[in-house]
Amino acid sequence: MVPTLNITLNSLRKLKAAGEKFSCLTAYDAAFAHTVSTAGIEVILVGDSLGMVLQGRDSTLPVTIEDMIYHTQCVAQGNQGALIMADLPFGSYATAEQTLENSAALMRAGAHLVKLEGGRWLCESVRLLAQNGIPVCAHLGLTPQSVHLFGGFKVQGREHEAARVMLEDAQLLEQAGTALLLLECVPTDLATRFTESVHVPVIGIGAGAGTDAQVLVLHDMLGVTPGRRPRFVKNFMEGQSSIEGAIKAYAEDVKSGQFPAEEHQFTS
Ligand code: KIV
């Protein structure tokens, strides 16, 4: 049976306007897409984090557009009405034309919007995608595809100038037509200002409680990722007897504002 698309960008805009939080989780296959969407998560992210989570790499850089198309197709098969956002992987959006070609491939695979990492230099691509009917989410702050430029997975925007540039990038990307913004690993006060300064919904990860929505990597919040757990992650399996219960608890805690708590946030 073809799933009915219940959650649209309009639904997310209405939630922001009403001051109601929404949640996003990664999924990379049909079974988890089914579980996540039926547990009440509004947005499924087919993230290039699959390079680290599924493929065991130490960064997202080795992930290819073919990997992303395959996993987007898998997720689309299991999804029950969530909005599917698919990542453009490293090196797949160097020019506006390449961005359009690869985004169209992800949309044909079942995505409802695509996500790319970066600031104002992406405005031309964002505009071209919007003109071609492809909604975009621009990912700012800690952009993992630039990990080697940053010298590690570090909190971004702590310095006054970096924060100013980030806020300006958001304005420019919004003017270019980005439908959503995603902010990773920035101090809570900056993320809150950022969210208040734009009209489009802002999804945060490690960006505190002031954003319109939260996203986590599914395997992190289920406590099955090996190694050290990042500060912004909560293990939602604790106190739950099923994966479905953990995902529902996450959705409820985001809605009620209980997650992220202070211990999951960064200060300036
Ligand atoms: O790839 C991914 O899962 C992401 C999240 C960390 C936001 O981009």
Side-chain angles (χ1 to χ4, degrees), residues 8-183:
T8 64
L9 283 168
N10 255 344
S11 327
L12 305 184
R13 290 184 195 115
K14 280 185 191 154
L15 289 171
K16 175 165 177 134
E20 207 180 306
K21 309 265 182 195
F22 62 91
S23 44
C24 174
L25 261 185
T26 65
Y28 316 106
D29 63 32
F32 275 115
H34 189 277
T35 309
V36 165
S37 54
T38 53
I41 301 295
E42 284 90 350
V43 183
I44 293 179
L45 171 61
V46 189
D48 61 354
S49 52
L50 69 85
M52 299 172 85
V53 173
L54 302 187
Q55 299 174 344
R57 313 290 191 131
D58 61 6
S59 81
T60 58
L61 272 58
V63 176
T64 63
I65 188 68
E66 288 76 23
D67 292 334
M68 295 309 304
I69 291 169
Y70 171 73
H71 287 283
T72 302
Q73 284 167 340
C74 295
V75 164
Q77 291 299 312
N79 178 39
Q80 299 294 313
L83 192 76
I84 300 175
M85 174 157 77
D87 264 340
L88 281 159
F90 177 71
S92 72
Y93 52 101
T95 63
E97 291 68 30
Q98 188 194 22
T99 310
L100 177 58
E101 189 182 326
N102 286 324
S103 301
L106 291 175
M107 298 297 279
R108 280 195 289 270
H112 302 125
L113 79 157
V114 299
K115 176 164 81 62
L116 33 68
E117 298 183 5
R120 63 192 73 194
W121 57 93
L122 294 173
C123 284
E124 188 195 340
S125 300
V126 169
R127 222 173 275 119
L128 184 66
L129 294 189
Q131 283 163 359
N132 282 275
I134 303 177
V136 185
C137 174
H139 182 156
L140 294 165
L142 171 58
T143 46
Q145 291 171 16
S146 305
V147 59
H148 297 303
L149 208 56
F150 294 142
F153 295 98
K154 294 178 180 164
V155 176
Q156 300 295 309
R158 278 199 162 126
E159 306 76 27
H160 178 78
E161 181 55 13
R164 190 192 65 74
V165 170
M166 213 182 282
L167 289 167
E168 214 173 75
D169 279 350
Q171 302 286 335
L172 293 169
L173 286 160
E174 180 169 43
Q175 283 163 24
T178 195
L180 296 179
L181 287 159
L182 190 146
L183 201 49

